[in-house]
């Protein structure tokens, strides 16, 4: 997964469908979209929440609209629907190389009142010493 844009109000990632993403019938497994959606929403939610806690996924709902094929590059964009004190809800669009919607989803995150591990701070570009 390549992070194209990372900010508190939008995260955009890209990935390419490889043989590892195919189910036995040769089409992309829906789980790849679910996994990328949750990862993208979690990144967005954590960047928005910052040092105030840790986000964890509590629900992931993904609809598969049309089939991508081997070699297709998919662009996933996460945008907020709701961001509150205890939870967040993010909308995700997965767009194929032709600009058409491949999958669409929502991921709900819980904002936990926990200290962020130093290695996680570094992964999100936050100074562990600050």
């Amino acid at each position: 997964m390549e992070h194209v844009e990372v900010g508190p109000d939008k995260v955009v990632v890209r990935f390419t469908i490889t043989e590892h993403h195919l189910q036995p019938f040769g089409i992309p497994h829906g789980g790849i979209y679910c996994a990328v959606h949750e990862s993208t929403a979690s990144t967005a939610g954590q960047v928005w929440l910052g040092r105030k806690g840790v986000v964890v996924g509590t629900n992931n709902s993904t609809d598969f609209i049309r089939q991508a094929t081997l070699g297709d590059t998919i662009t996933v964009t996460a945008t907020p629907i709701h961001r509150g004190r205890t939870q967040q809800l993010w909308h995700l669009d997965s767009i194929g190389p032709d600009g058409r919607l491949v999958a669409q989803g929502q991921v709900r995150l819980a904002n936990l009142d926990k200290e962020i591990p130093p290695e996680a701070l570094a992964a999100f570009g936050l100074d562990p010493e600050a």
Side-chain angles (χ1 to χ4, degrees):
M1 225 171 45
E2 170 195 4
H3 288 84
V4 177
E5 179 180 343
V6 177
D9 299 317
K10 179 166 77 168
V11 170
V12 179
V13 302
R14 271 195 298 250
F15 71 98
T16 301
I17 302 290
T18 69
E19 296 84 12
H20 293 84
H21 301 126
L22 303 180
Q23 45 100 310
F25 300 105
I27 61 174
H29 191 289
I32 187 62
Y33 300 107
C34 294
V36 173
H37 283 184
E38 187 154 342
S39 177
T40 304
S42 294
T43 298
Q46 189 64 58
V47 169
W48 176 77
L49 189 62
R51 295 176 177 276
K52 297 177 190 168
V54 175
V55 300
V56 296
T58 59
N59 189 52
N60 183 332
S61 174
T62 300
D63 294 306
F64 313 113
I65 311 300
R66 72 179 36 82
Q67 181 180 316
T69 59
L70 185 64
D72 281 354
T73 297
I74 309 299
T75 302
V76 179
T77 302
T79 54
I81 296 170
H82 167 77
R83 295 179 292 191
R85 185 179 53 79
T86 61
Q87 64 181 344
Q88 303 178 45
L89 183 63
W90 289 81
H91 174 84
L92 296 109
D93 284 328
S94 291
I95 306 294
D98 60 359
R100 297 175 73 190
L101 189 63
V102 174
Q104 183 174 6
Q106 288 186 8
V107 173
R108 183 173 300 281
L109 305 169
N111 302 332
L112 302 181
D113 185 20
K114 291 184 129 189
E115 189 171 324
I116 304 170
E119 61 275 8
L121 286 170
F124 287 99
L126 300 170
D127 181 6
E129 303 299 320

